[in-house]
Every structure is written in C-alpha cells, then in structure tokens.
Amino acid sequence: FDPRHYLGTHCYGFPKTGPHRLRFLLESVKDLRETLKKKGSTLVVRKGKPEDVVRDLITQLGSVSAVAFHEEVREIL
C-alpha cells in the first residue's frame, strides 16, 4: 500500500480513498491472501513507497531475477 495513494487529490484536496473503498480494498486483499494460502502460496503485503518496498524485498529475498509492475494512469488536467 503506497501511502501517497491515500492523500488528497491534487486540485481540491479530497481524499482519493474514502472509508468504504478502503474497507473493500482491505477485505479484498485479505480474501486473496486466504485463497492463495489454500492453494499453497502466499501474498506479501507491505506499506510504503513502492520504489523502497520493492528494493527492500529484492534485497531480503536475494534471488530475484525479474520484477513486473504496472503504473497507474494519471489524468492530467
């Protein structure tokens, strides 16, 4: 979870994620983790800037050969 995603919007300062959306997101991640565990896998969940968290995970794991990601499209006004 990137804390910057939950700050106010650029133009008016409204929250990007309200309490209902956040609850849905947390419940969805919890459900995904439980489903993966039933299949013998797991889900790593971290809070922080992705550029820091991913670097730290790669260092911690030590044998990473590839990293895939997507960038959220930002609307420019």
Side-chain angles (χ1 to χ4, degrees), residues 6-64:
Y6 304 95
L7 300 174
T9 58
H10 296 290
C11 296
Y12 302 105
F14 293 117
K16 292 181 184 178
T17 303
H20 300 293
R21 182 175 181 192
L22 182 58
R23 176 196 270 164
F24 173 77
L25 179 60
L26 293 173
E27 289 174 355
S28 297
V29 169
K30 181 181 176 183
D31 183 66
L32 176 59
R33 176 181 269 164
E34 291 171 2
T35 300
L36 288 170
K37 280 186 178 181
K38 289 177 186 175
K39 297 184 179 290
S41 190
T42 191
L43 177 67
V44 176
V45 179
R46 297 288 187 266
K47 176 184 170 190
K49 294 179 180 178
E51 57 270 25
D52 298 332
V53 171
V54 172
R55 182 193 63 234
D56 293 346
L57 280 173
I58 290 170
T59 301
Q60 179 184 353
L61 295 172
S63 62
V64 176

